[in-house]
Amino acid sequence: MRIARLAAAALLAASLGAGSALAEDGHAPNPPREKWSFAGMFGSFDQAQLQRGFQVYKEVCANCHSMRLVAFRNLAEPGGPGFTEGQVKALAATYSVKELDDSGAEKERPARPADRFPSPFPNDKAAAAANGGKAPPDFSVLAKARTYERGFPLFVFDALPVTGYSEQGVDYIHALLTGYEEAPKGFTMPDSGYYNKYYPGHVIAMPNPLSDGQITYPKNDKGEPVVPETVQQYSRDVSAFMAWAAEPHMMARKGLGLRVILFLIVLAGLLYYVKKQIWKKVGGEVHGLQPELHKTY
């Protein structure tokens, strides 16, 4: 028992030492864990937040980032931002998509709800040329593609069904968007980079995209914004929208999972009851045999 405790203490000390070494080497700190309405087994997206997040994407992020895996009609599907079909049709009509006509010539037409969001650039090379040599990543997968290591022992609890933590990507994106700072003294900053507290290496090519008051949110009856028009709020809203864009059918998946779990619980109870009834009857017959018949068993 004592040996096990010493081993656990040594492992914990080693993990803490590794974490402090990473900090001294200039590695980015882990983003703080945020609270999201869609976290956990019973979490769900906030429609108002998704609509605000889409507004941030449309007015700011869509100038550089594509969203190729999301169709306009997804905005009106259950579990999403909750736009009406009329709003989706009107929104799609403001975009143009290219297609081939019967003769094979390329032409443009207004987008339809079934179309996916067109890229702001004709191809990846053009996107890279307009953004310092590297094409901006697609918005559709960022919330799932980005993550970070939480270290021991947190990663053990992250894997548990009840305390599971799968919002690393969203937390990282929110921290990144709010992590722009002035470079500390002695830090060598290249001309084409920007200092970000949470970006690996702290040098990011993307300039700070958000500022307070940059986007006008819907107003209430008193003419006041329904939520603060700040970088913190913009970042939370667009991060939540990115989580939805990465998994538009998350609510349907969670609903199906809960129904399956309930079914398995009921099935397990029925199987236990049937087992008890069957073996109780068999056992009663054996013990009810005459003494001379017991010798044959």
Side-chain angles (χ1 to χ4, degrees), residues 14 25 35 46 48 57 65 77 81 120 134 160 174 212 217-218 227 231 238 244 278 283:
D25 290 343
K35 293 183 179 180
D46 182 348
Y57 166 75
H65 293 272
E77 293 177 346
K134 187 175 182 180
L160 298 178
H174 173 63
D212 292 343
Y217 275 159
V227 293
V231 171
V238 75
W244 170 83
I278 292 176

Side-chain angles (χ1 to χ4, degrees), residues 282-297:
V282 173
E285 290 180 350
V286 172
H287 291 293
L289 293 176
Q290 296 179 2
E292 61 271 11
L293 295 179
H294 275 285
K295 297 179 182 180
T296 61
Y297 288 90

